[in-house]
Amino acid sequence: MKVIMTTKIDLASMNIMRKLIENFGFRETEGEFDGNPIYSKDDALILTTNDEMIYYDGPDGAINEQLGITPEIIIFASRHSSKQKLPALTTHVTGNWGNAMYGGKDESLAVAQPAAMKLALMKMDELNDLGWTVCYEATHHGPSELDVPSLFIEIGSSEEEWVNDRAGEIIAETIIHVLENYKTAKFPVAIGIGGGHYAPKQTKRALETDIAFSHIVPKYAHPVKEELLLRAIERTQGGVDAIYVDWKGSRGETRQLARSLAEELGLEFIRD
């Protein structure tokens, strides 16, 4: 089964859930998850929890314990918040390059599904008639402790956007597109290094070429430990073909680590 995770306390999450039910034929079942109704369609479930999803470590274990299934993939339908209140549609994988400030564990990375994130990015860009920013975000926040591939797809970045009907429709359609296509989509995959939180160069590269990104290490997380870069490669479903560096957006020691690691592992080194 494929799981779409939502939470009652998130306006964007509930907006997206409503659009999935209204537009894509999800039906309420007799089952419950965390005390909330389960909706299903074909091989996909909408599950709803009661608290912030970023602090929900081990959701795959909770799903197995409550429902007796191990999901193939979990898509978290969520809000995005920022001080700048930038209207945005974003996607990213979770984890922490250093201390866990917002859920998850220190220096812990979730399992990335690069094809799913690239499909999400491209579909949001295709459907975006709002004039909003569409982008990857760097790897950040929890949950980091889960052993199935997952990704966040988000509406940002203030209440005005979270409840926007069209934004909810775009994300709902994007989620369905991802679930229907991620297993057969084939792209070369890169770990992304450098740049700001909204990964502008990685986003541009993914939208203009066939490359898909896994974990992205922003400049503010540099220097990054070699074992964490190795962990990011390990925690990428389907493997990694390249290490991509936003050269001006990276610190010198991280650039050199990326280059030497690519050589050592026989990966393509892409300098942008």
Side-chain angles (χ1 to χ4, degrees):
M1 299 296 290
K2 303 162 185 173
V3 167
I4 303 161
M5 185 69 77
T6 65
T7 175
K8 293 195 305 188
I9 64 169
D10 181 330
L11 293 174
S13 192
M14 290 294 95
N15 179 11
I16 297 161
M17 179 178 173
R18 281 192 299 273
K19 297 306 179 186
L20 286 165
I21 293 167
E22 290 171 6
N23 298 346
F24 294 98
F26 281 84
R27 296 288 180 262
E28 186 173 349
T29 72
E30 294 181 355
E32 288 189 345
F33 179 79
D34 284 355
N36 300 301
I38 296 171
Y39 291 80
S40 75
K41 180 193 175 188
D42 301 329
D43 63 347
L45 300 176
I46 302 175
L47 305 181
T48 303
T49 188
N50 304 303
D51 301 304
E52 293 285 5
M53 295 186 292
I54 65 174
Y55 298 108
Y56 201 147
D57 270 328
D60 50 338
I63 293 165
N64 186 271
E65 182 179 336
Q66 294 183 45
L67 307 181
I69 61 171
T70 299
E72 296 173 20
I73 189 169
I74 301 174
I75 296 181
F76 295 90
S78 175
R79 71 181 183 275
H80 170 69
S81 301
S82 73
K83 292 179 182 178
Q84 294 81 11
K85 298 186 177 180
L86 174 75
L89 306 170
T90 76
T91 187
H92 69 95
V93 63
T94 55
N96 297 300
W97 299 108
N99 294 335
M101 304 280 292
Y102 301 102
K105 302 289 177 64
D106 295 350
E107 297 185 353
S108 175
L109 302 173
V111 180
Q113 220 303 331
M117 289 191 291
K118 181 178 174 72
L119 288 171
L121 187 77
M122 293 191 300
K123 194 64 175 178
M124 291 188 297
D125 187 63
E126 173 194 330
L127 297 173
N128 178 27
D129 50 15
L130 294 167
W132 295 5
T133 295
V134 172
C135 64
Y136 283 122
E137 289 181 78
T139 299
H140 70 300
H141 73 58
S144 63
E145 302 297 303
L146 64 169
D147 293 318
V148 301
S150 65
L151 61 152
F152 270 65
I153 303 181
E154 304 179 348
I155 299 173
S157 298
S158 69
E159 184 171 339
E160 181 179 351
E161 288 80 35
W162 299 337
V163 300
N164 182 286
D165 266 357
R166 180 57 185 151
E169 291 170 356
I170 290 170
I171 300 303
E173 185 172 344
T174 295
I175 288 171
I176 296 301
H177 176 72
V178 170
L179 292 181
E180 289 178 344
N181 294 285
Y182 84 95
K183 287 202 287 189
T184 56
K186 304 294 181 187
F187 305 109
V189 172
I191 297 293
I193 293 176
H197 181 78
Y198 295 103
K201 286 192 176 180
Q202 289 93 336
T203 297
K204 186 173 189 290
R205 180 66 71 110
L207 289 173
E208 293 180 354
T209 74
D210 61 350
I211 198 167
F213 283 92
S214 173
H215 286 282
I216 297 175
V217 194
K219 186 176 183 179
Y220 64 75
H222 297 184
V224 64
K225 296 178 181 177
E226 180 176 351
E227 55 262 38
L228 271 179
L229 285 184
L230 290 170
R231 181 70 168 158
I233 292 168
E234 175 191 330
R235 299 279 278 177
T236 299
Q237 188 177 54
V240 169
D241 304 292
I243 297 178
Y244 166 99
V245 177
D246 175 346
W247 197 257
K248 290 184 177 179
S250 296
R251 294 187 181 182
E253 60 194 291
T254 304
R255 296 174 188 163
Q256 298 312 316
L257 172 60
R259 188 194 293 276
S260 63
L261 201 57
E263 291 175 0
E264 179 183 331
L265 299 176
L267 302 175
E268 182 181 1
F269 181 76
I270 303 171
R271 170 181 168 168
D272 195 349

